[in-house]
């Protein structure tokens, strides 16, 4: 189907790494006029062949359009790339990974340069970009007006989830979800290690592991309810005292299997500390209070 490019918001995209290139292709396919720039010009060539306009400098790319999307390696590279550009009157959408403080500082930095700012953090890998059913999305925070104004254009590569005016919140949600993911990977790592030396096919264990993790994941809703009410004993099924009593079995099994307990031990230690405070009837929720103190 032919797209009427006149109706589509023109986009400038700085950064054509794996992610930037995937983003670029979706805007091109949707008929958005696209201006691109990348430090290594060769990465812009295939996109130019697909209809993108290649700019010689970042400044030229920024001058071309109002909506400027940045997808670079890190916050330092954003600094370097935008240093020589004129951002007055521009709508800057920064999809580069950063910390919440870096995002807030970047929002202020953009404001001082006369630009409106929206921070975005991508919850997807490049093959999920432009594939609606893959479930990838981007957290956005910062100017609500900017989000509304460009919502449709930003929704082309992936879903959009706006999490508030505080420009650091997209980064905070991003790191919160990814931190939970790494803890899940750590658990799976330990599980595979336990069975590694046995005659157990890892491809037979994997579906059992995946199903179990999915079955346990909804427990986060109870944690959230308990945090909100302040009552960590509400709806408890397996209390802390019982769970701590079970930990020697896990540690001893690791020892029997010749596996280091170093991924499990820190969490067990926190559970024991919370129990020692007299919280045996609670869920695991109280461990959160130990961490934030
Ligand atoms: P790549 O490593 O593939 O690309 C990095 C990009 O940054 C390239 O365009 C590179 O230019 C550019 N760059 C790096 N340093 C500089 C610099 N000093 N000056 C100018 N340009 C620079 O990374 P991705 O495209 O995968 O990632 C981009 C962003 O997206 C990152 O913040 C990443 O965390 C985030 N992201 C990536 C995901 C992924 O799975 N890939 C998932 C979610 C978020 P050059 O080509 O010249 O090297």
């Amino acid at each position: 189907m032919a797209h009427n490019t006149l109706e589509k918001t023109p986009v400038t995209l700085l950064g054509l790494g794996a992610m930037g290139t995937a983003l670029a292709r979706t805007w091109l396919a949707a008929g958005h006029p696209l201006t691109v720039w990348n430090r290594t010009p060769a990465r812009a060539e295939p996109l130019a062949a697909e209809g993108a306009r290649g700019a010689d400098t970042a400044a030229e790319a920024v001058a071309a359009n109002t909506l400027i999307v940045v997808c670079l390696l890190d916050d330092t590279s954003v600094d370097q790339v935008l240093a020589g550009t004129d951002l007055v009157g521009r709508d800057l959408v920064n999809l580069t990974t950063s910390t919440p403080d870096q995002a807030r500082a970047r929002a202020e930095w953009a404001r001082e340069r006369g630009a409106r700012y929206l921070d975005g953090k991508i919850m997807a890998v490049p093959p999920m970009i432009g594939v609606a059913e893959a479930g990838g999305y981007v957290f956005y925070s910062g100017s609500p007006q900017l989000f509304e104004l460009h919502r449709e254009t930003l929704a082309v590569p992936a879903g959009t989830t706006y999490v508030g005016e505080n420009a650091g919140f997209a980064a905070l949600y991003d790191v919160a979800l990814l931190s939970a993911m790494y803890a899940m990977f750590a658990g799976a790592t330990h599980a595979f290690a336990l069975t590694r030396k046995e005659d157990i096919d890892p491809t037979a264990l994997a579906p059992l592991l995946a199903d179990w993790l999915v079955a346990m994941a909804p427990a986060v809703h109870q944690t959230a309810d308990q945090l909100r009410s302040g009552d960590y004993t509400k709806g408890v099924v397996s209390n802390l005292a019982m769970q701590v009593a079970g930990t020697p079995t896990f540690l001893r099994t690791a020892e029997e299997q010749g596996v280091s307990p170093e991924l499990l031990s820190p969490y067990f230690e926190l559970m024991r500390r919370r129990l020692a405070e007299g919280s045996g009837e609670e869920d695991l929720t109280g461990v959160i209070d130990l961490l934030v103190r």
Side-chain angles (χ1 to χ4, degrees), residues 172-210:
L172 189 55
Y173 276 78
D174 177 43
V175 172
L177 265 60
L178 293 178
S179 299
M181 176 193 78
Y182 277 116
M184 179 189 77
F185 287 158
T189 297
H190 186 80
F192 279 117
L194 284 177
T195 55
R196 188 71 182 131
K197 286 192 275 186
E198 306 294 348
D199 184 19
I200 293 175
D201 181 354
T203 66
L205 182 65
L208 298 171
L209 257 179

Short mmCIF file of all heavy atoms in Angstrom, two decimals, residues 172-210:
data_model
loop_
_atom_site.label_atom_id
_atom_site.label_comp_id
_atom_site.label_asym_id
_atom_site.label_seq_id
_atom_site.Cartn_x
_atom_site.Cartn_y
_atom_site.Cartn_z
N LEU A 172 13.86 4.52 35.52
CA LEU A 172 13.66 3.78 36.78
C LEU A 172 12.83 2.51 36.54
O LEU A 172 13.17 1.43 37.04
CB LEU A 172 12.99 4.69 37.80
CG LEU A 172 12.89 4.16 39.23
CD1 LEU A 172 14.24 3.74 39.77
CD2 LEU A 172 12.26 5.22 40.13
N TYR A 173 11.75 2.64 35.78
CA TYR A 173 10.94 1.46 35.45
C TYR A 173 11.77 0.45 34.66
O TYR A 173 11.70 -0.76 34.89
CB TYR A 173 9.71 1.86 34.62
CG TYR A 173 8.52 2.32 35.41
CD1 TYR A 173 8.46 3.61 35.94
CD2 TYR A 173 7.43 1.49 35.63
CE1 TYR A 173 7.35 4.05 36.66
CE2 TYR A 173 6.31 1.92 36.34
CZ TYR A 173 6.28 3.20 36.86
OH TYR A 173 5.18 3.63 37.57
N ASP A 174 12.54 0.96 33.72
CA ASP A 174 13.38 0.10 32.87
C ASP A 174 14.33 -0.72 33.73
O ASP A 174 14.39 -1.95 33.64
CB ASP A 174 14.16 1.02 31.90
CG ASP A 174 15.14 0.29 31.00
OD1 ASP A 174 14.78 -0.77 30.46
OD2 ASP A 174 16.26 0.79 30.82
N VAL A 175 15.06 -0.03 34.61
CA VAL A 175 16.05 -0.72 35.43
C VAL A 175 15.36 -1.65 36.45
O VAL A 175 15.88 -2.73 36.74
CB VAL A 175 17.00 0.29 36.12
CG1 VAL A 175 17.91 -0.41 37.12
CG2 VAL A 175 17.85 1.01 35.06
N ALA A 176 14.20 -1.24 36.95
CA ALA A 176 13.48 -2.10 37.89
C ALA A 176 13.11 -3.43 37.21
O ALA A 176 13.35 -4.52 37.75
CB ALA A 176 12.22 -1.40 38.40
N LEU A 177 12.54 -3.34 36.01
CA LEU A 177 12.13 -4.57 35.32
C LEU A 177 13.34 -5.42 34.92
O LEU A 177 13.33 -6.65 35.06
CB LEU A 177 11.29 -4.23 34.07
CG LEU A 177 9.77 -4.23 34.28
CD1 LEU A 177 9.33 -3.24 35.34
CD2 LEU A 177 9.03 -3.97 32.98
N LEU A 178 14.38 -4.75 34.44
CA LEU A 178 15.55 -5.51 34.01
C LEU A 178 16.30 -6.12 35.20
O LEU A 178 16.87 -7.21 35.09
CB LEU A 178 16.49 -4.63 33.18
CG LEU A 178 15.92 -4.18 31.83
CD1 LEU A 178 16.90 -3.27 31.11
CD2 LEU A 178 15.58 -5.37 30.94
N SER A 179 16.26 -5.43 36.36
CA SER A 179 16.89 -6.00 37.55
C SER A 179 16.18 -7.29 37.95
O SER A 179 16.82 -8.29 38.30
CB SER A 179 16.85 -5.01 38.71
OG SER A 179 17.55 -3.83 38.38
N ALA A 180 14.85 -7.25 37.89
CA ALA A 180 14.08 -8.46 38.21
C ALA A 180 14.41 -9.57 37.21
O ALA A 180 14.53 -10.75 37.57
CB ALA A 180 12.59 -8.15 38.20
N MET A 181 14.59 -9.18 35.96
CA MET A 181 14.94 -10.16 34.93
C MET A 181 16.29 -10.83 35.24
O MET A 181 16.43 -12.05 35.12
CB MET A 181 15.00 -9.46 33.58
CG MET A 181 15.44 -10.35 32.43
SD MET A 181 15.86 -9.37 30.97
CE MET A 181 17.49 -8.76 31.42
N TYR A 182 17.26 -10.01 35.67
CA TYR A 182 18.58 -10.60 35.95
C TYR A 182 18.51 -11.56 37.14
O TYR A 182 19.19 -12.60 37.15
CB TYR A 182 19.64 -9.51 36.18
CG TYR A 182 20.19 -9.00 34.86
CD1 TYR A 182 20.01 -7.69 34.47
CD2 TYR A 182 20.86 -9.86 34.00
CE1 TYR A 182 20.48 -7.23 33.24
CE2 TYR A 182 21.34 -9.43 32.78
CZ TYR A 182 21.15 -8.11 32.41
OH TYR A 182 21.61 -7.68 31.20
N ALA A 183 17.69 -11.22 38.13
CA ALA A 183 17.54 -12.12 39.27
C ALA A 183 16.90 -13.44 38.81
O ALA A 183 17.26 -14.52 39.27
CB ALA A 183 16.71 -11.47 40.36
N MET A 184 15.96 -13.34 37.85
CA MET A 184 15.36 -14.55 37.30
C MET A 184 16.41 -15.38 36.54
O MET A 184 16.50 -16.60 36.70
CB MET A 184 14.21 -14.17 36.35
CG MET A 184 13.54 -15.37 35.71
SD MET A 184 12.37 -14.86 34.42
CE MET A 184 13.48 -14.45 33.09
N PHE A 185 17.23 -14.69 35.75
CA PHE A 185 18.31 -15.40 35.04
C PHE A 185 19.27 -16.05 36.04
O PHE A 185 19.78 -17.16 35.81
CB PHE A 185 19.10 -14.45 34.13
CG PHE A 185 18.36 -14.00 32.90
CD1 PHE A 185 18.74 -12.83 32.24
CD2 PHE A 185 17.30 -14.72 32.37
CE1 PHE A 185 18.08 -12.40 31.10
CE2 PHE A 185 16.62 -14.29 31.23
CZ PHE A 185 17.02 -13.13 30.60
N ALA A 186 19.53 -15.36 37.15
CA ALA A 186 20.44 -15.91 38.17
C ALA A 186 19.85 -17.20 38.73
O ALA A 186 20.56 -18.19 38.91
CB ALA A 186 20.66 -14.89 39.29
N GLY A 187 18.54 -17.20 38.97
CA GLY A 187 17.89 -18.40 39.48
C GLY A 187 17.97 -19.55 38.49
O GLY A 187 18.26 -20.69 38.86
N ALA A 188 17.73 -19.24 37.22
CA ALA A 188 17.80 -20.28 36.19
C ALA A 188 19.24 -20.79 36.05
O ALA A 188 19.48 -21.98 35.84
CB ALA A 188 17.29 -19.74 34.86
N THR A 189 20.19 -19.88 36.20
CA THR A 189 21.61 -20.26 36.14
C THR A 189 21.93 -21.28 37.22
O THR A 189 22.58 -22.31 36.97
CB THR A 189 22.49 -18.99 36.32
OG1 THR A 189 22.23 -18.11 35.24
CG2 THR A 189 23.98 -19.34 36.36
N HIS A 190 21.43 -21.01 38.42
CA HIS A 190 21.67 -21.94 39.54
C HIS A 190 21.00 -23.29 39.26
O HIS A 190 21.59 -24.35 39.50
CB HIS A 190 21.17 -21.32 40.84
CG HIS A 190 21.50 -22.14 42.04
ND1 HIS A 190 22.74 -22.11 42.65
CD2 HIS A 190 20.76 -23.04 42.75
CE1 HIS A 190 22.75 -22.95 43.67
NE2 HIS A 190 21.56 -23.52 43.75
N ALA A 191 19.79 -23.25 38.74
CA ALA A 191 19.06 -24.49 38.45
C ALA A 191 19.81 -25.35 37.42
O ALA A 191 19.95 -26.57 37.59
CB ALA A 191 17.66 -24.16 37.95
N PHE A 192 20.29 -24.70 36.36
CA PHE A 192 21.05 -25.46 35.35
C PHE A 192 22.36 -25.99 35.94
O PHE A 192 22.80 -27.11 35.62
CB PHE A 192 21.34 -24.59 34.12
CG PHE A 192 20.18 -24.48 33.16
CD1 PHE A 192 19.59 -23.25 32.90
CD2 PHE A 192 19.69 -25.61 32.51
CE1 PHE A 192 18.52 -23.15 32.01
CE2 PHE A 192 18.62 -25.51 31.61
CZ PHE A 192 18.04 -24.28 31.37
N ALA A 193 22.99 -25.21 36.82
CA ALA A 193 24.25 -25.64 37.43
C ALA A 193 24.01 -26.89 38.30
O ALA A 193 24.81 -27.83 38.28
CB ALA A 193 24.84 -24.50 38.28
N LEU A 194 22.89 -26.90 39.03
CA LEU A 194 22.60 -28.04 39.90
C LEU A 194 22.52 -29.35 39.13
O LEU A 194 22.89 -30.41 39.62
CB LEU A 194 21.25 -27.83 40.62
CG LEU A 194 21.21 -26.84 41.79
CD1 LEU A 194 19.78 -26.71 42.30
CD2 LEU A 194 22.15 -27.27 42.92
N THR A 195 22.01 -29.28 37.91
CA THR A 195 21.77 -30.50 37.13
C THR A 195 22.86 -30.77 36.10
O THR A 195 22.81 -31.78 35.40
CB THR A 195 20.41 -30.38 36.39
OG1 THR A 195 20.44 -29.17 35.60
CG2 THR A 195 19.26 -30.29 37.37
N ARG A 196 23.81 -29.86 36.02
CA ARG A 196 24.80 -29.88 34.91
C ARG A 196 25.57 -31.19 34.80
O ARG A 196 25.80 -31.68 33.70
CB ARG A 196 25.77 -28.70 35.09
CG ARG A 196 26.72 -28.49 33.93
CD ARG A 196 25.96 -27.95 32.73
NE ARG A 196 26.81 -27.77 31.58
CZ ARG A 196 26.52 -28.22 30.37
NH1 ARG A 196 25.40 -28.89 30.16
NH2 ARG A 196 27.34 -27.99 29.36
N LYS A 197 25.97 -31.72 35.94
CA LYS A 197 26.85 -32.91 35.89
C LYS A 197 26.07 -34.22 35.87
O LYS A 197 26.66 -35.29 35.85
CB LYS A 197 27.81 -32.87 37.08
CG LYS A 197 28.91 -31.81 36.88
CD LYS A 197 30.04 -31.93 37.88
CE LYS A 197 29.71 -31.22 39.15
NZ LYS A 197 30.74 -31.14 40.15
N GLU A 198 24.75 -34.11 35.89
CA GLU A 198 23.92 -35.33 35.90
C GLU A 198 23.48 -35.68 34.48
O GLU A 198 23.59 -34.86 33.57
CB GLU A 198 22.67 -35.10 36.77
CG GLU A 198 22.95 -34.64 38.17
CD GLU A 198 23.66 -35.69 39.03
OE1 GLU A 198 23.74 -36.86 38.61
OE2 GLU A 198 24.14 -35.32 40.12
N ASP A 199 22.92 -36.86 34.37
CA ASP A 199 22.37 -37.27 33.08
C ASP A 199 20.96 -36.67 32.94
O ASP A 199 19.96 -37.38 32.90
CB ASP A 199 22.34 -38.81 33.01
CG ASP A 199 21.88 -39.29 31.64
OD1 ASP A 199 21.95 -38.49 30.69
OD2 ASP A 199 21.41 -40.44 31.55
N ILE A 200 20.92 -35.35 32.93
CA ILE A 200 19.64 -34.63 32.79
C ILE A 200 19.77 -33.71 31.59
O ILE A 200 20.70 -32.89 31.52
CB ILE A 200 19.32 -33.83 34.07
CG1 ILE A 200 19.04 -34.79 35.23
CG2 ILE A 200 18.14 -32.89 33.84
CD1 ILE A 200 18.83 -34.11 36.58
N ASP A 201 18.87 -33.88 30.66
CA ASP A 201 18.92 -33.09 29.43
C ASP A 201 18.46 -31.66 29.72
O ASP A 201 17.32 -31.45 30.13
CB ASP A 201 18.00 -33.76 28.39
CG ASP A 201 18.00 -33.03 27.06
OD1 ASP A 201 18.63 -31.94 26.97
OD2 ASP A 201 17.36 -33.54 26.11
N PRO A 202 19.35 -30.67 29.52
CA PRO A 202 18.92 -29.29 29.80
C PRO A 202 17.70 -28.88 28.99
O PRO A 202 16.89 -28.06 29.46
CB PRO A 202 20.14 -28.44 29.43
CG PRO A 202 21.16 -29.34 28.86
CD PRO A 202 20.73 -30.76 29.05
N THR A 203 17.53 -29.47 27.82
CA THR A 203 16.36 -29.07 27.02
C THR A 203 15.06 -29.69 27.57
O THR A 203 13.97 -29.27 27.20
CB THR A 203 16.51 -29.45 25.52
OG1 THR A 203 16.53 -30.87 25.40
CG2 THR A 203 17.77 -28.85 24.92
N ALA A 204 15.21 -30.69 28.45
CA ALA A 204 14.02 -31.24 29.13
C ALA A 204 13.72 -30.40 30.37
O ALA A 204 12.56 -30.24 30.76
CB ALA A 204 14.25 -32.69 29.51
N LEU A 205 14.79 -29.88 31.01
CA LEU A 205 14.60 -29.05 32.20
C LEU A 205 14.01 -27.68 31.83
O LEU A 205 13.18 -27.13 32.57
CB LEU A 205 15.95 -28.87 32.92
CG LEU A 205 15.91 -28.06 34.21
CD1 LEU A 205 15.09 -28.76 35.29
CD2 LEU A 205 17.33 -27.79 34.72
N ALA A 206 14.44 -27.15 30.70
CA ALA A 206 14.07 -25.77 30.33
C ALA A 206 12.55 -25.51 30.33
O ALA A 206 12.11 -24.53 30.95
CB ALA A 206 14.68 -25.40 28.98
N PRO A 207 11.73 -26.36 29.69
CA PRO A 207 10.29 -26.05 29.72
C PRO A 207 9.69 -26.13 31.12
O PRO A 207 8.77 -25.37 31.45
CB PRO A 207 9.67 -27.11 28.79
CG PRO A 207 10.72 -28.14 28.58
CD PRO A 207 12.05 -27.50 28.82
N LEU A 208 10.23 -27.03 31.95
CA LEU A 208 9.74 -27.12 33.34
C LEU A 208 10.07 -25.83 34.09
O LEU A 208 9.25 -25.28 34.82
CB LEU A 208 10.37 -28.32 34.05
CG LEU A 208 10.05 -29.69 33.43
CD1 LEU A 208 10.89 -30.78 34.06
CD2 LEU A 208 8.56 -29.99 33.59
N LEU A 209 11.31 -25.36 33.87
CA LEU A 209 11.74 -24.11 34.51
C LEU A 209 10.88 -22.94 34.06
O LEU A 209 10.40 -22.16 34.89
CB LEU A 209 13.19 -23.81 34.07
CG LEU A 209 14.33 -24.10 35.02
CD1 LEU A 209 15.65 -23.73 34.35
CD2 LEU A 209 14.16 -23.33 36.31
N ALA A 210 10.71 -22.83 32.76
CA ALA A 210 9.94 -21.70 32.22
C ALA A 210 8.52 -21.70 32.76
O ALA A 210 8.01 -20.67 33.21
CB ALA A 210 9.94 -21.74 30.69
#
